[in-house]
Amino acid sequence: MTTPAPAPLRLGTRGSALATTQSGLVARRLEVLLDRPVELVRIKTEGDVKTGSLASLGGTGVFVTALRDALAGDRCDVAVHSLKDLPTTPAPGLTYVTPEREDPRDALCARDGRTLDTLPRNGRVGTGSPRRAAQLQAARPDLEIVDIRGNVETRLARALGPDPDLDAVVLALAGLARLHRTEVVSEVLDPLVVAPAPGQGALAVEARSTDLVPDGGTTGGPGLGAVLAEAFAELDHRPTRLAVTAERAVLARLEAGCAAPIGAYARLEDGVLVLSAVVASLDGTEQLKHTARVEIAPTATLTAADGAAYALGVRVAERLLADGAARLAPLSPAEPAPPEPTLATTGTDDPEGA
């Protein structure tokens, strides 16, 4: 008797070219790990439907809530998010993992191969991110920063198209790499000049928590829970997980939303997790920076390593607060929460898959 082919795993994604490309990468990996087909389910989010600045949309969760509702409503089995889009508060009943991330730095895409230093005086640079805008103004106070929205190609056309109205745009290098469009990059911006958004370049692959225990869920029938849990364990990349846990702990401690110009960049180097963070005023005239590190033993348990990374982020955030961060940026700092085994983040920085 022939065993029927398993039903496809339904993977929820936003519908933009960047989102479906990112989700397609995850889908192909899951097909190998699960030995079953994976189909993309396109979900429209609030941020896809509405126009205007991110702050006017409320920022937090506008590109995430519909996907999470689809998971909760059993319209998809797994969802893929850009990690920097996830709100700080963990979603009850959901668990995510972080595959290895792309280069988290920002990229300048300028006409004639110009760099940040060689852009024309009073040049016009487009970005939808207050973080990028503030740090660009700090580096080049003469620049006119233009608020823009839209997908990657729409943004690129503003500077590199046949009828440009901008001298350059700034995009996440990770998105350009995933779309095979790095040829448009005129300069990869040094994180010391423009620190990336916490979690930039990383993805979150999310599922119902009950589907990640043996026979605990309903997705695909009995026994899939153990297989899906193993697949999620394979997807989770320890150096990425520790880096983004530290970066996002900065946001969690500062209670910073999408309107706050905050950058953070962590990397695991020879067993030492190094975290640098910056808080800037909205106009870029003032910046506070701090760097700290913690040793992560190779034998540390997942819980211990996560806790150390989270504590590092809190420590850096508290140093920034002590130096006056709340005076510079729109923050609502609260008492630090205890570390979560799986951290979420605050709001979106500037999703280029919009």
Side-chain angles (χ1 to χ4, degrees):
M1 182 176 178
T2 303
T3 303
L9 191 80
R10 301 163 299 166
L11 189 150
T13 177
R14 292 175 59 207
S16 72
L18 178 55
T20 55
T21 297
Q22 292 175 162
S23 297
L25 295 171
V26 175
R28 289 191 288 277
R29 184 87 188 279
L30 283 172
E31 285 180 333
V32 172
L33 292 171
L34 297 172
D35 192 25
R36 69 185 295 162
V38 176
E39 65 179 17
L40 297 187
V41 178
R42 288 165 175 79
I43 306 291
K44 276 191 177 181
T45 69
E46 181 183 1
D48 296 316
V49 175
K50 295 183 178 179
T51 59
S53 70
L54 293 174
S56 71
L57 296 181
T60 303
V62 296
F63 293 97
V64 173
T65 302
L67 282 166
R68 287 181 157 174
D69 287 347
L71 270 175
D74 197 29
R75 288 183 286 132
C76 62
D77 307 308
V78 174
V80 176
H81 314 277
S82 289
L83 185 57
K84 68 181 182 180
D85 291 351
L86 293 188
T88 301
T89 305
L94 298 178
T95 298
Y96 72 77
V97 293
T98 52
E100 184 174 4
R101 73 172 168 182
E102 285 277 0
D103 191 322
R105 294 176 293 175
D106 282 315
L108 184 77
C109 304
R111 296 202 304 276
D112 305 319
R114 289 180 180 266
T115 65
L116 184 57
D117 287 340
T118 62
L119 283 173
R121 182 160 184 79
N122 301 318
R124 288 163 51 85
V125 180
T127 176
S129 162
R131 169 190 60 83
R132 289 174 181 147
Q135 293 182 90
L136 290 168
Q137 294 267 244
R140 284 285 306 270
D142 62 292
L143 294 177
E144 179 186 353
I145 307 301
V146 180
D147 184 54
I148 61 174
R149 282 281 307 274
N151 61 33
V152 169
E153 294 302 330
T154 298
R155 297 182 189 214
L156 288 174
R158 297 283 299 270
L160 307 180
D163 189 23
D165 66 320
L166 301 174
D167 294 288
V169 294
V170 179
L171 303 174
L173 180 60
L176 293 170
R178 290 182 179 124
L179 291 170
H180 305 290
R181 292 289 270 129
T182 54
E183 80 281 357
V184 300
V185 176
S186 57
E187 181 184 14
V188 177
L189 297 172
D190 189 327
L192 295 176
V193 178
V194 179
Q200 185 160 295
L203 301 177
V205 184
E206 192 167 51
R208 294 179 290 270
S209 301
T210 53
D211 285 346
L212 296 173
V213 295
D215 299 323
T218 59
T219 303
L224 184 67
V227 179
L228 191 60
E230 290 178 6
F232 265 48
E234 285 291 325
L235 284 175
D236 205 35
H237 184 249
R238 179 184 172 94
T240 295
R241 179 188 180 90
L242 294 176
V244 300
T245 294
E247 292 168 8
R248 298 185 175 220
V250 173
L251 288 183
R253 177 65 184 97
L254 296 179
E255 287 291 318
C258 66
I262 293 175
Y265 177 44
R267 56 273 182 210
L268 188 63
E269 301 173 344
D270 298 323
V272 177
L273 185 63
V274 182
L275 170 65
S276 300
V278 58
V279 177
S281 61
L282 288 171
D283 62 4
T285 55
E286 294 183 78
Q287 291 190 96
L288 294 172
K289 298 182 179 182
H290 187 60
T291 298
R293 64 199 66 219
V294 67
E295 186 172 347
I296 307 286
T299 56
T301 65
L302 185 64
T303 300
D306 279 357
Y310 182 87
L312 176 65
V314 170
R315 176 155 52 98
V316 167
E318 290 186 337
R319 175 61 182 270
L320 291 168
L321 286 170
D323 289 344
R327 175 181 58 83
L328 295 188
L331 308 177
S332 301
E335 288 302 310
E340 297 284 346
T342 300
L343 289 178
T345 58
T346 294
T348 191
D349 175 66
D350 184 19
E352 286 133 21

